[in-house]
Amino acid sequence: MIKKTNQSDRRVLSFPAVHPCEAISPATLLNSLITLANGVCSNNSKFFATQRRNAREAIRQIGILLIFFEEIRDRGLNLSDLVVLCFSELHLTFQKVQFLMEDCTREGAKLWVLMKSQFIATQFRVLIRAIATALDVFPLDTVDICGEVKELVELVAKQARKAKFELDKDDERAMKRVLSILNYFEKGIEPDSGFMTWVLDYLEIKSWSDCNSEIKFLEELVALECSDSEEREVPFLSSLVGFMSYCRVVIFETLDYRSSDQIDVRCNMETLSCLNPEDFRCPISLELMTDPVTVSTGQTYDRSSIQKWLKAGNMLCPKTGEKLTNTELLPNTTLKKLIHQFCADNGISLAKSGRKSRDITRTIIPGSPAAAEVMKLMSRFLARRLFFGTNEEKNKAAYEIRLLAKSNIFNRSCIVESGAIPPLLNLLSSPDQCVHENAIAALLKLSKHTSGKKVIVESGGLKVILKVLKSGLSLEARQIAAATLFYLTSVKGYRKLIGETPEAIPALVKLIEEGTDCGKKNAVVAIFGLLLSQGNHQKVLDAGTVPLLADILASSNRTELITDSLAVLANLAENIQGTSTILKTSALPVIIGLLQTLTSRAGKEYCVSILLSLCSNAREEVTASLAKDPSLMNSLYSLTTDGTSQARKKTRSLIKILHKFFETCSSGVEGSAVPHERPFHVW
């Protein structure tokens, strides 16, 4: 039997068929062949936007052969070696035919299949010829079946030899129209809407969601091309994405997003982090992980690197030296999302080619001249809608910007230059919750662009964004506002400006108290950004941030949220006031425990940083508290070899303080290892 290939795991227009093994029994092979033939014939009920005649003819011929196979099975005939050989070849061909059928009817692939019509027609012809070849050598006279079935098989063999399976004239006409439309776009000319509507009607792309499915599929192909370093198709694919995006934005007026589309945008809150990008590197290759997996010791590696390690016969964890109990590799989906978000936000491609400078350029410039001109046309259209459209049109425009600016730097640049930010800021005062949320989400995407930050602040956007943070129409809007502030804090002058606004930090602290885990995280990292300005430290302390962060450490099971909370505490602990505030909470024993239990390396390093600052500022009382935990030293020693250079340095300093304390205690000398300055009560 042949293992079924999941369609989502197979690249479109690839045919990874597997030849039946030589040891397979004739009965098993025949049953598998019947199953495959049934699968091909079931495509008869599916919609083919293109290749209708070719698909119909292939299904008809295989349907006749299905009768032949079932006749042999029902009679329980013994099969000769030559029959088995022919069936094996048919089995291989039927797999490829089924793959081809799946691609022709794949959701979101209508436009791409149309543009590959010539190639697909050729594939149909090649595969049907392969069936004809297998039937030509099939010893039909030696098989005891009724004459009518034999005549049908002979007819199929004859037709398969002569069938043309050519490019359909209507498909060819539609394909030429698409190429003409792309040519118009490349020249910066808007094609006639009727011209584009004709193509959409031909492919039966009838709605906004249909169009969006096409875009998603094409964007996935672009990502695959880049990850495999096969960028020949990228310009053409980018042009097609531009065409479909234009249709979605301009032609389809009504939003009818499916539940999956809503989940992608409404519920996909920003994943922000104070994490060091070094955490995204594979400990073996030291490159950014593209497919992080976790081994039995709990350590994470890039799949390709750890597979090579295991293939070489190594059964020890490369990082810890522990023996692996098994070779199972569990996908670390959370880390993968963080890595992809980090790369998208910073214009970094995960392509494996090593041509890093070119990859970064690819995220900044458009994929093709046509795609560039389409984006400029759409940006101007959306800006006009935001200024002069109805409430529904403004809402759709904001939503479209939210999608277009999600992970494309060039798109963000075009939208900012079109003047879309001021009307988006005006929409934040809308009483319509949907408009309100789409506007703040669109501004969030644009705040990632350098020019976007500047325009937002210079247009008076800081005040209205803070108003959303404080009293937005929904919790989601408030959480998105916090994420927007985080990106604004990347500009030094804006940190000071935000910090000087009286309601900013208290509103973020309020969100830590009231928000979802995602909202808490957004608020925490926004505060982290503000702390990069020294003048904001006391304001963060005065707002009551520390007790809330201590509660997160004690109660949350979200590693990312805990790690970011530790990052903020590490920053605050560096001065006397921060140390005093932290020690007034019950955070110290929790931090000691987290140092020993956290799986996040960054989290462990923040724990060390906090403990070192507390020891330095609070002296012997904190040191004495640390000395009571005999297991602490083991965790510290592991970080001296496992952490970053900065973390190793801090860890050695902390160990030195503890060693000196132990020496002082054992010698009976009064006082701490460091001269006493100011006592703090340790809970």
Side-chain angles (χ1 to χ4, degrees):
M1 294 290 283
I2 301 301
K3 183 179 178 182
K4 185 177 180 181
T5 303
N6 189 325
Q7 180 176 325
S8 62
D9 295 335
R10 181 178 61 83
R11 191 161 185 167
V12 67
L13 298 183
S14 66
F15 313 109
V18 180
H19 204 288
C21 63
E22 293 181 5
I24 191 171
S25 71
T28 300
L29 176 60
L30 180 59
N31 284 328
S32 183
L33 194 57
I34 290 171
T35 300
L36 271 173
N38 272 312
V40 172
C41 293
S42 69
N43 289 292
N44 200 37
S45 61
K46 296 181 181 179
F47 171 70
F48 287 81
T50 55
Q51 302 292 331
R52 296 185 183 96
R53 188 183 64 81
N54 290 339
R56 186 168 58 248
E57 179 61 19
I59 291 170
R60 186 189 68 79
Q61 292 190 17
I62 291 174
I64 294 173
L65 293 178
L66 176 59
I67 297 171
F68 171 50
F69 302 145
E70 289 175 336
E71 175 84 2
I72 293 175
R73 181 196 61 189
D74 294 343
R75 286 176 176 262
L77 301 176
N78 291 323
L79 304 179
S80 68
D81 290 343
L82 182 55
V83 170
V84 171
L85 178 62
C86 292
F87 279 177
S88 293
E89 292 303 316
L90 289 172
H91 192 286
L92 189 71
T93 303
F94 282 14
Q95 290 178 64
K96 295 179 180 179
V97 172
Q98 178 63 0
F99 287 144
L100 194 58
M101 296 286 185
E102 287 175 356
D103 289 338
C104 288
T105 58
R106 187 182 289 223
E107 182 182 5
K110 293 175 181 175
L111 180 60
W112 183 239
V113 169
L114 171 66
M115 304 315 291
K116 287 290 183 179
S117 289
Q118 184 65 66
F119 171 80
I120 294 172
T122 301
Q123 290 303 307
F124 270 115
R125 184 166 60 253
V126 168
L127 293 173
I128 296 302
R129 291 287 189 277
I131 291 174
T133 301
L135 294 178
D136 282 343
V137 297
F138 190 92
L140 196 58
D141 293 338
T142 66
V143 181
D144 184 19
I145 56 173
C146 69
E148 290 180 357
V149 174
K150 282 187 178 181
E151 288 177 5
L152 286 174
V153 174
E154 290 171 345
L155 178 64
V156 168
K158 183 178 180 181
Q159 291 176 341
R161 283 192 299 273
K162 295 182 177 180
K164 294 184 177 180
F165 286 92
E166 296 176 339
L167 174 62
D168 187 276
K169 296 299 181 184
D170 289 337
D171 290 350
E172 185 177 18
R173 188 181 305 114
M175 184 168 57
K176 287 181 177 178
R177 285 208 174 189
V178 173
L179 293 173
S180 177
I181 289 168
L182 297 184
N183 188 47
Y184 273 111
F185 278 132
E186 189 168 340
K187 295 176 181 178
I189 302 170
E190 290 189 76
D192 180 81
S193 61
F195 210 51
M196 292 183 284
T197 302
W198 185 93
V199 173
L200 296 173
D201 289 342
Y202 182 78
L203 295 174
E204 295 206 21
I205 298 173
K206 299 178 179 180
S207 65
W208 185 96
S209 59
D210 287 345
C211 204
N212 198 44
S213 293
E214 296 288 317
I215 294 168
K216 284 184 177 182
F217 175 80
L218 292 167
E219 287 177 337
E220 287 171 5
L221 284 186
V222 171
L224 279 171
E225 288 284 316
C226 294
S227 66
D228 290 348
S229 305
E230 295 285 343
E231 299 189 20
R232 289 172 300 173
E233 297 272 23
V234 169
F236 185 54
L237 284 166
S238 299
S239 297
L240 295 178
V241 170
F243 168 42
M244 282 291 103
S245 297
Y246 185 90
C247 292
R248 188 188 70 190
V249 169
V250 178
I251 294 178
F252 292 108
E253 295 282 353
T254 304
L255 284 174
D256 67 325
Y257 34 57
R258 299 162 184 162
S259 57
S260 59
D261 297 322
Q262 282 189 286
I263 290 169
D264 283 347
V265 180
R266 279 187 63 85
C267 303
N268 182 22
M269 295 294 294
E270 285 297 301
T271 306
L272 309 175
S273 180
C274 308
L275 285 175
N276 189 325
E278 291 301 311
D279 290 288
F280 302 151
R281 295 189 183 278
C282 174
I284 298 174
S285 67
L286 301 182
E287 296 293 334
L288 281 178
M289 291 183 277
T290 57
D291 188 9
V293 292
T294 302
V295 297
S296 60
T297 59
Q299 301 299 324
T300 298
Y301 304 90
D302 201 23
R303 185 184 293 275
S304 60
S305 297
I306 192 64
Q307 283 178 336
K308 289 177 184 176
W309 173 269
L310 295 173
K311 191 174 181 181
N314 299 303
M315 282 303 292
L316 297 179
C317 176
K319 194 170 181 181
T320 65
E322 297 175 52
K323 187 174 181 179
L324 298 172
T325 57
N326 57 64
T327 58
E328 187 177 7
L329 304 177
L330 300 176
N332 191 330
T333 54
T334 300
L335 181 59
K336 189 172 184 178
K337 288 178 183 177
L338 282 172
I339 293 171
H340 280 270
Q341 182 68 48
F342 171 80
C343 292
D345 290 346
N346 292 277
I348 298 171
S349 169
L350 284 173
K352 301 173 184 175
S353 64
R355 297 172 293 171
K356 295 183 179 178
S357 59
R358 183 176 176 183
D359 291 335
I360 293 171
T361 302
R362 187 185 62 77
T363 67
I364 298 171
I365 63 173
S368 70
E373 295 303 321
V374 169
M375 191 59 224
K376 292 172 186 176
L377 291 169
M378 286 192 296
S379 297
R380 291 193 289 269
F381 174 85
L382 290 169
R384 289 195 300 270
R385 280 293 171 92
L386 289 172
F387 274 111
F388 307 114
T390 63
N391 189 62
E392 286 185 2
E393 289 172 341
K394 289 178 180 179
N395 180 53
K396 181 176 183 289
Y399 187 81
E400 292 288 2
I401 289 173
R402 191 174 179 177
L403 292 178
L404 290 167
K406 184 177 180 181
S407 58
N408 190 297
I409 295 173
F410 178 77
N411 288 2
R412 294 171 191 164
S413 175
C414 288
I415 294 167
V416 171
E417 289 176 9
S418 73
I421 286 179
L424 281 172
L425 290 169
N426 291 336
L427 288 182
L428 295 182
S429 60
S430 171
D432 186 318
Q433 181 178 321
C434 189
V435 174
H436 184 74
E437 288 178 359
N438 282 327
I440 187 63
L443 287 165
L444 165 61
K445 307 303 180 186
L446 299 179
S447 70
K448 298 176 184 181
H449 195 276
T450 304
S451 300
K453 295 179 181 69
K454 184 179 180 183
V455 176
I456 287 172
V457 174
E458 291 182 353
S459 301
L462 188 55
K463 183 178 179 181
V464 289
I465 290 170
L466 286 172
K467 186 176 179 182
V468 174
L469 173 65
K470 186 178 180 181
S471 55
L473 295 181
S474 66
L475 183 58
E476 182 179 351
R478 291 172 59 199
Q479 293 176 165
I480 298 172
T484 307
L485 284 184
F486 167 73
Y487 286 106
L488 293 179
T489 61
S490 65
V491 179
K492 184 177 180 181
Y494 299 162
R495 295 173 208 146
K496 185 172 182 292
L497 190 62
I498 295 168
E500 289 174 348
T501 307
E503 64 268 27
I505 293 173
L508 288 170
V509 173
K510 189 72 172 174
L511 186 58
I512 295 176
E513 187 175 3
E514 298 177 347
T516 63
D517 282 346
C518 185
K520 292 177 191 292
K521 185 174 176 59
N522 288 355
V524 168
V525 296
I527 287 174
F528 181 85
L530 290 172
L531 287 174
L532 297 176
S533 175
Q534 192 65 33
N536 291 328
H537 277 234
Q538 192 58 48
K539 296 170 186 174
V540 170
L541 292 171
D542 293 343
T545 310
V546 172
L548 293 176
L549 296 180
D551 288 343
I552 289 173
L553 299 186
S555 61
S556 178
N557 58 1
R558 295 285 300 274
T559 301
E560 307 95 336
L561 179 57
I562 291 171
T563 299
D564 292 332
S565 298
L566 288 168
V568 173
L569 290 173
N571 196 309
L572 293 172
E574 291 176 356
N575 60 54
I576 295 290
Q577 291 80 10
T579 294
S580 174
T581 306
I582 291 170
L583 293 178
K584 287 176 182 176
T585 70
S586 56
L588 182 58
V590 178
I591 293 168
I592 295 172
L594 288 172
L595 174 60
Q596 299 170 69
T597 60
L598 269 181
T599 56
S600 162
R601 186 179 71 179
K604 288 177 179 288
E605 293 177 0
Y606 287 133
C607 287
V608 169
S609 182
I610 294 168
L611 295 177
L612 179 61
S613 294
L614 296 182
C615 285
S616 300
N617 292 328
R619 305 306 183 185
E620 74 278 0
E621 295 198 29
V622 173
T623 309
S625 182
L626 298 183
K628 293 176 184 177
D629 191 334
S631 61
L632 177 63
M633 293 302 288
N634 289 334
S635 299
L636 292 176
Y637 280 127
S638 69
L639 277 175
T640 60
T641 57
D642 193 33
T644 62
S645 58
Q646 185 68 16
R648 292 197 297 269
K649 183 178 178 181
K650 289 186 176 183
T651 304
R652 286 193 292 268
S653 297
L654 182 56
I655 291 172
K656 189 180 294 185
I657 289 174
L658 290 172
H659 277 170
K660 197 164 185 180
F661 177 82
F662 292 137
E663 290 171 4
T664 303
C665 290
S666 62
S667 64
V669 178
E670 290 291 324
S672 78
V674 187
H676 177 77
E677 287 184 2
R678 182 176 178 182
F680 292 101
H681 179 61
V682 181
W683 289 23

